[in-house]
Amino acid sequence: QVQLVESGGGSVQAGGSLRLSCAASGYTYSILCMGWFRQAPGKEREGVARIYTGSGSTYYADSVKGRFTISRDNAKNTLYLQMNTLKPEDTAMYYCAAARSCRSGYPRSSDYTYWGQGTQVTVSS
């Protein structure tokens, strides 16, 4: 089993920044891929970014490309999402997720086995 705990959400004004963290524990050696997803009220969960834990290769959704950066500190078993130039449309619950395998391209939530409880991000205009 792998446990994931997110932190770092909050409320900011448009144009501001936040950094989300996701601490992983348990059988983390089995994890090949980690990602960030978000879900706004009334909308489906969408993939934001993902990273291969080995090579560090990343993927970003078009909506966040150039503004968000996903990274991982393997020594601390912690995943990060640096979010800059935030927009009101970024408002959502953000979830960290982990998978034992990794597809290329867009991260699909069905591929991820382990999920955190979520952290709320609210961006006001």
Side-chain angles (χ1 to χ4, degrees):
Q1 287 288 349
V2 175
Q3 294 79 41
L4 303 172
V5 179
E6 302 101 333
S7 60
S11 298
V12 295
Q13 290 192 326
S17 298
L18 283 173
R19 189 176 82 155
L20 306 183
S21 299
C22 172
S25 60
Y27 293 105
T28 57
Y29 63 87
S30 66
I31 298 304
L32 293 182
C33 201
M34 296 193 75
W36 288 98
F37 294 78
R38 67 185 181 186
Q39 188 167 19
K43 294 188 177 181
E44 291 187 356
R45 186 172 298 186
E46 63 173 344
V48 174
R50 65 115 178 93
I51 185 168
Y52 286 108
T53 57
S55 69
S57 174
T58 58
Y59 176 91
Y60 296 93
D62 288 342
S63 58
V64 306
K65 200 173 295 182
R67 300 188 298 122
F68 290 11
T69 302
I70 188 171
S71 62
R72 174 175 164 87
D73 186 330
N74 288 332
K76 295 182 178 180
N77 280 331
T78 301
L79 181 73
Y80 302 100
L81 185 68
Q82 177 66 45
M83 305 185 295
N84 298 327
T85 319
L86 283 161
K87 304 176 181 180
E89 51 263 43
D90 294 318
T91 295
M93 186 71 79
Y94 283 70
Y95 298 90
C96 167
R100 293 177 178 164
S101 61
C102 221
R103 293 182 201 248
S104 60
Y106 180 77
R108 286 173 278 190
S109 58
S110 59
D111 291 342
Y112 290 74
T113 303
Y114 305 105
W115 292 84
Q117 81 287 353
T119 186
Q120 178 68 37
V121 171
T122 303
V123 185
S124 58
S125 58

